[in-house]
Amino acid sequence: MSIITTGDIPSLLWPGLYEVKSQYDRFKGEYTKVYEQANSVKHTERMVDIKGTGYALEKSQGTPIKMDSMAERFIYEFVHREFALGFQITNIAMEDDLYADQFFNGTKSLTTSYEQTREVVAMNPFNQAFNVAAAQANGQPLCSGSQPYDGGVYSNRVGAYNGVNVNVDFSEAGVEQAVILAGKMKDQAGLLINAQIERLLLPQDLMFSGCRLLESVFRTGTANNDINAIYNMKAIPQGYEVSHFLTSPSNWFGLTNVKGTRKHFVRRPLKVNITTDPVTETMSVLASGRYSFGMFTPLGVIGAQGSTA
């Protein structure tokens, strides 16, 4: 760890600079359109997926009613991690800096670092959505053709057929398949859920394709004079969101209306502390916070892995 001294900012010790640039406009709060946020007062939050009763069974005259059971199945844990950053600067560097209003704004710089880190962490579940090494509590990746329930599996991965995964680039047919998959989602008892895709989550590489597909009355990329069923049926009622922190240019996702499935817990909001060493008079600026991002069941996401890594 190095301490900022006058040797790090020699130009700022002299008058005549037209501008000192260290701050820029940033992409802010993109994760807030993807996750539901809640405060936490614990080290870890735990959410349990329960199997309820299944389909009712036909009963013959004079026979006893068959009994079903209810029990917990998978436990999803949200461990709050601490993220922190800081810097130190000598009192001489602060005194002799002629552009302190432009250069030395420690809280703004650290806040920018913290917030952009949070965007990266928020998108990590999506960036790892097809990675078998990043299994969820049910033993499957976030997006899989084999999400388990009692007595079977369902799919929340576009292009998963009979255990074989096919890459599906963003297209009209792909989005239609994602909408169909959402309507086939099941709970742990195997009962259908009224799951529908509310909006798409796209990398910036697909934002123009998303606009053409979702906002065109007629089909795009074809000479057929057909209506755009996705648009006319309002199949994706809230349109699409773009995340600049999705790392794959071709993976895309549908975010469903199933409540409480995409969670962001805040254990401690961003806190900035500024202290001065009484002996060296060096100033320390420290920023830290604790939070977690994750999924409670795969029911909140439909995913498609494109052909470009």
Side-chain angles (χ1 to χ4, degrees):
M1 179 185 67
S2 61
I3 299 174
I4 301 171
T5 68
T6 54
D8 296 302
I9 52 171
S11 296
L12 275 60
L13 308 181
W14 299 91
L17 295 180
Y18 179 76
E19 183 179 9
V20 176
K21 189 71 171 178
S22 64
Q23 294 297 320
Y24 301 87
D25 291 334
R26 311 286 180 173
F27 299 110
K28 295 181 179 179
E30 292 184 347
Y31 69 88
T32 62
K33 301 175 183 178
V34 177
Y35 290 90
E36 298 177 36
Q37 180 173 315
N39 295 326
S40 174
V41 295
K42 305 173 186 175
H43 173 271
T44 302
E45 293 290 348
R46 305 172 83 233
M47 303 176 73
V48 181
D49 194 12
I50 296 288
K51 174 202 171 291
T53 54
Y55 287 101
L57 302 174
E58 184 177 359
K59 176 183 174 298
S60 300
Q61 294 185 60
T63 61
I65 296 176
K66 292 185 178 180
M67 298 293 109
D68 201 350
S69 64
M70 294 185 288
E72 64 180 60
R73 287 296 180 262
F74 304 110
I75 301 175
Y76 293 77
E77 292 191 343
F78 297 76
V79 180
H80 311 317
R81 294 183 290 165
E82 183 176 32
F83 295 87
L85 193 66
F87 65 86
Q88 292 181 307
I89 186 169
T90 66
N91 62 318
I92 301 300
M94 293 184 59
E95 289 174 359
D96 293 350
D97 175 14
L98 301 182
Y99 306 89
D101 58 331
Q102 299 179 60
F103 166 70
F104 181 68
N105 191 328
T107 57
K108 180 178 291 187
S109 180
L110 289 177
T111 297
T112 298
S113 298
Y114 182 87
E115 290 300 334
Q116 191 147 127
T117 299
R118 182 150 60 173
E119 297 282 358
V120 172
V121 175
M123 286 300 105
N124 188 58
F126 293 93
N127 291 328
Q128 299 293 324
F130 308 98
N131 184 359
V132 294
Q136 307 290 298
N138 65 2
Q140 291 295 313
L142 174 59
C143 297
S144 167
S146 303
Q147 304 291 2
Y149 65 88
D150 276 30
V153 296
Y154 67 88
S155 174
N156 71 333
R157 174 172 178 161
V158 181
Y161 305 102
N162 298 322
V164 178
N165 296 320
V166 178
N167 291 344
V168 178
D169 288 323
F170 185 75
S171 64
E172 178 185 26
V175 173
E176 290 175 353
Q177 184 60 37
V179 173
I180 293 171
L181 282 180
K184 296 181 177 181
M185 284 181 159
K186 298 181 178 183
D187 65 12
Q188 286 302 311
L191 302 181
L192 288 173
I193 296 172
N194 182 15
Q196 303 172 35
I197 295 179
E198 288 186 327
R199 67 173 73 92
L200 300 180
L201 177 64
L202 306 177
Q204 59 178 324
D205 307 76
L206 296 178
M207 60 184 177
F208 298 107
S209 298
C211 179
R212 282 190 291 267
L213 179 59
L214 297 186
E215 299 184 19
S216 296
V217 178
F218 298 97
R219 295 180 65 191
T220 61
T222 176
N224 298 329
N225 190 28
D226 298 338
I227 64 170
N228 180 352
I230 296 172
Y231 175 88
N232 284 275
M233 294 175 63
K234 298 179 174 58
I236 313 291
Q238 297 182 18
Y240 66 96
E241 300 292 342
V242 173
S243 172
H244 294 83
F245 301 92
L246 289 172
T247 55
S248 169
S250 63
N251 293 353
W252 54 277
F253 304 89
L255 306 179
T256 76
N257 61 338
V258 182
K259 302 299 182 183
T261 52
R262 304 182 302 274
K263 298 295 293 186
H264 169 39
F265 287 105
V266 178
R267 178 64 179 87
R268 185 179 74 239
L270 173 64
K271 177 175 62 176
V272 179
N273 289 327
I274 301 176
T275 60
T276 301
D277 189 294
V279 177
T280 65
E281 295 187 300
T282 297
M283 175 178 286
S284 298
V285 184
L286 309 174
S288 68
R290 291 177 63 198
Y291 56 82
S292 60
F293 286 93
M295 305 294 170
F296 174 48
T297 79
L299 297 171
V301 179
I302 301 287
Q305 187 170 29
S307 58
T308 304

